[in-house]
Amino acid sequence: MKSLPIRVRLTAWYSLILALSIGVSGSIAYFAMSHSINAAIDVGLRHRLDGIRTIIARTAPQGRDAVVDELNEYDEGQGGRGLVSVTDENGSVIYASAGMAALNTRDRHVWEAKPFYAKLNGDEFRVLREPINVAGKAYGIEVATYTEDFDRATDRFQRVLYSIAPAFLLLAALGGYWISRRALAPVEKIIGDARRIGVTSLSERLTVSHTGDELERLADTLNEMLARLEASFQRVIQFTADASHELRTPISVMRLSLIHISEPTRQAEI
């Protein structure tokens, strides 16, 4: 089976390495983006939770109604998308945003200060919950935020990555093929020059491109080999000529001797 040309193999290896590099770098970029978004969301949730803790600490001595009023004002300040829930030490709900009551994640997660994801009617939320203690009373605070906008951003980035990467890979492969073909063009010239040199033209030499690279060294090496072949061939020709000259006189003498010997024999036969 005939092997593929070097330029094709170089292009294939280059494309494979580039595809792996794009895949790895794209995955790293995607996960880095997701991590950054999650970190930003968690910072916002932590800030809101600390704000609610401050509200409870300030209004709890005034009674439950004061806590509810402050939390209601806080929720309205968030445009109704604050998603806040506060429970007492018995688990009874003191205040809950409309969306937070339906979210109801308490049965699935323990109380811990670690954000997690929860779903409601197909929508995904990022939730942070933490118990606090104010004036000897325990409260449970739960805050959440919609992640739809962030999810759209990551999905858009993923789509752009998947749509651009193949086109970029194809363009790079074509460029790599063109570059490899151009880089190997001097090799084709060396092959053509070498094919023209034969026994009758050993004095010719390959064209050397003074580029200082491996191709220049290859041409120089082939020219040195041609010079050695020419010198060896000249020595063979000289040896043949000298041998022919040295053997000419003895052969002539032998021929004359054979003629003299054969003459009496022919006369006797006559």
Side-chain angles (χ1 to χ4, degrees), residues 190-236:
I190 290 174
I191 293 173
D193 292 342
R195 284 176 176 172
R196 287 195 300 270
I197 298 175
V199 175
T200 60
S201 57
L202 284 175
S203 60
E204 295 184 15
R205 295 293 180 267
L206 304 176
T207 302
V208 179
S209 301
H210 299 286
T211 55
D213 56 10
E214 291 82 357
L215 294 177
E216 179 182 355
R217 294 200 299 272
L218 175 61
D220 287 336
T221 302
L222 291 176
N223 283 336
E224 292 173 1
M225 182 186 68
L226 289 173
R228 291 193 298 270
L229 288 175
E230 183 184 12
S232 299
F233 192 71
Q234 290 297 331
R235 286 195 295 269
V236 170

Side-chain angles (χ1 to χ4, degrees), residues 8 11 26 33 51 55 71 73 98 129 135 137 167 208-209 227 250 253:
V8 175
T11 303
M33 180 180 179
I55 291 175
L71 291 175
E73 290 182 7
R129 54 192 322 192
K137 292 184 178 181
V208 179
S209 301
V253 173

Side-chain angles (χ1 to χ4, degrees), residues 234-259:
Q234 290 297 331
R235 286 195 295 269
V236 170
I237 293 175
Q238 185 64 40
F239 173 78
T240 303
D242 293 342
S244 176
H245 177 73
E246 293 295 332
L247 292 174
R248 186 178 303 165
T249 300
I251 290 175
S252 298
V253 173
M254 292 175 63
R255 289 179 62 188
L256 289 174
S257 299
L258 289 173
I259 292 173

Side-chain angles (χ1 to χ4, degrees), residues 55-56 58-72 86-96 137-139:
I55 291 175
I56 295 175
R58 186 179 68 249
T59 58
Q62 302 173 22
R64 181 175 179 139
D65 292 339
V67 173
V68 173
D69 290 340
E70 286 290 331
L71 291 175
N72 187 51
V86 178
T87 57
D88 59 19
E89 56 187 2
N90 297 320
S92 300
V93 178
I94 297 176
Y95 178 85
K137 292 184 178 181
Y139 297 88

Side-chain angles (χ1 to χ4, degrees), residues 45-58:
L45 290 175
R46 172 57 59 185
H47 179 73
R48 287 172 53 198
L49 192 144
D50 291 340
I52 294 172
R53 180 191 289 111
T54 301
I55 291 175
I56 295 175
R58 186 179 68 249

